[in-house]
Amino acid sequence: MVSGHAAHENGVDVDIWFNLDPKPALPPEAREEVELPSMVLPDKSDIDRSRFGEGQVRLLRLAANDPRVDRIFVHPAIKRALCQGFGNAGDGDTGWLHRIRPWYGHDEHFHVRLSCPAGSPDCVGQPAVPPGDGCDASLDWWFTHPPAAAPTTPPPPRPPLPKACAALLSGE
């Protein structure tokens, strides 16, 4: 992906925007430059209730209940709102909250990590998500440990694509 999402090159990661408003048709080169609104307040303390609502909660629940999904990363304020039952998140079975994990930087989109497909020997899965719904002291940590400042040194060069991906892209 153009915007530095190296993790997406493994084929099991995808970002989904929270903004559900209709979007104009854009040429491919313009699609990486779309600015979408944050779903959390500017001070990052809570969700922005004028932007994040039941539609976003339904979308997260739908994605998290898909058996192919391993985990979903959202901003910690979004995870906390879900744990508090915002947008009917607490209605019915709440087992889906187990897959919703807090991670900084996921305030205008959520990051879906799929499980490794069966029969994919080159796919390496992540360690299991800890037991429970994540609505405990582990969530509180995110509000007492602010994210580190952005590094001042440039990021290291991207590693080469795995051979299977390079072959696919080259048409071999």
Side-chain angles (χ1 to χ4, degrees), residues 64-65 69-72 79 82-83 93-102 127-135:
N65 277 326
V69 171
D70 180 58
R71 65 194 75 202
I72 295 173
K79 172 67 177 187
L82 297 172
C83 290
D93 179 17
T94 58
W96 62 280
L97 290 172
H98 169 77
R99 290 185 175 159
I100 306 291
R101 312 308 297 175
V129 173
D133 60 10
C135 298

Side-chain angles (χ1 to χ4, degrees), residues 49-164:
R49 294 169 194 274
S50 70
R51 293 185 171 146
F52 188 84
E54 288 185 28
Q56 287 78 13
V57 173
R58 278 192 307 272
L59 183 60
L60 282 168
R61 184 190 302 257
L62 180 66
N65 277 326
D66 188 306
R68 297 169 291 186
V69 171
D70 180 58
R71 65 194 75 202
I72 295 173
F73 298 113
V74 299
H75 189 276
I78 294 172
K79 172 67 177 187
R80 182 170 58 190
L82 297 172
C83 290
Q84 293 171 344
F86 178 79
N88 299 319
D91 292 357
D93 179 17
T94 58
W96 62 280
L97 290 172
H98 169 77
R99 290 185 175 159
I100 306 291
R101 312 308 297 175
W103 202 261
Y104 299 121
H106 293 86
D107 57 315
E108 76 284 334
H109 73 282
F110 61 97
H111 179 107
V112 178
R113 174 152 301 146
L114 300 171
S115 301
C116 286
S120 297
D122 294 330
C123 184
V124 179
Q126 294 220 296
V129 173
D133 60 10
C135 298
D136 53 20
S138 67
L139 178 58
D140 296 337
W141 180 90
W142 292 90
F143 296 94
T144 58
H145 293 78
T152 57
T153 58
R158 291 177 129 185
L161 283 174
K163 289 180 184 179

